């Protein structure tokens, strides 16, 4: 795998997208200390509002997969109503909005995964914006 095929924006999307998925699947978004039992943790795709985390993980994984497939294989991806770089920008904003909504709907007993998830989602949104700007400067749409 030749990483020189990835632009700066592509690298942001791949790294931040992978971190968002890992954060949502494995890190504690809600952490409750129960006497005599210990700490109980819930991930980003667990209740409450787990569907928001699941949708965010799905969009982030799709963004990462699209870049890896388009840069490292000869597969032809389907055309979207908007160009792929614009879809990455919109996808990054959607992931950030979904995770902010998840955070705002449940603001107590937050674990460190919630804060890291917002940070990673902001990086993903920045990466999507960078991909869109790079394609605009280059005069390409896909």
């Amino acid at each position: 795998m030749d990483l020189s095929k990835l632009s700066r924006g592509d690298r942001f999307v791949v790294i931040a997208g992978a971190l968002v998925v890992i954060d949502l699947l494995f890190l504690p978004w809600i952490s409750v200390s129960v006497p005599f039992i210990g700490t109980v943790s819930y991930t980003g795709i667990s209740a409450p509002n787990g569907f928001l985390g699941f949708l965010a993980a799905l969009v982030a994984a799709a963004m990462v997969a699209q870049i890896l497939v388009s840069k490292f294989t000869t597969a032809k991806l389907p055309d979207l109503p908007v160009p792929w770089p614009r879809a990455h920008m919109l996808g990054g904003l959607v992931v950030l909005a979904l995770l902010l909504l998840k955070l705002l709907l449940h603001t107590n007993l937050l674990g460190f995964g919630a804060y890291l998830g917002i940070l990673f989602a902001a990086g993903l949104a920045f990466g999507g914006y960078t991909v869109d700007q790079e394609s605009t400067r280059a005069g390409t749409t896909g």
Side-chain angles (χ1 to χ4, degrees):
M1 193 156 59
D2 184 16
L3 295 179
S4 66
K5 291 182 180 180
L6 296 177
S7 69
R8 180 175 177 248
D10 291 339
R11 288 186 189 124
F12 262 104
V13 169
V14 169
I15 293 169
L19 289 172
V20 165
V21 172
I22 290 168
D23 177 80
L24 288 168
L25 293 178
F26 300 112
L27 297 182
W29 270 63
I30 296 174
S31 187
V32 180
S33 293
V34 180
F36 305 110
I37 294 176
T39 302
V40 178
S41 299
Y42 297 98
T43 64
I45 59 171
S46 302
N49 306 310
F51 67 97
L52 295 172
F54 179 74
L55 288 175
L58 215 59
V59 172
M63 291 172 67
V64 171
Q66 189 278 330
I67 287 178
L68 294 178
V69 167
S70 68
K71 300 293 182 179
F72 298 113
T73 69
T74 59
K76 171 78 170 100
L77 295 171
D79 293 328
L80 298 179
V82 297
W84 278 108
R86 180 69 39 95
H88 283 289
M89 182 180 71
L90 296 173
L93 292 173
V94 165
V95 169
L96 182 59
L98 286 169
L99 294 186
L100 282 172
L101 181 62
K102 180 175 175 57
L103 185 71
L104 291 174
L105 291 175
H106 188 87
T107 58
N108 55 347
L109 305 173
L110 295 176
F112 70 93
Y115 302 109
L116 282 178
I118 298 299
L119 183 68
F120 296 152
L124 183 62
F126 175 74
Y129 172 77
T130 305
V131 167
D132 187 48
Q133 292 302 306
E134 289 170 349
S135 72
T136 302
R137 280 189 219 111
T140 61
T141 60

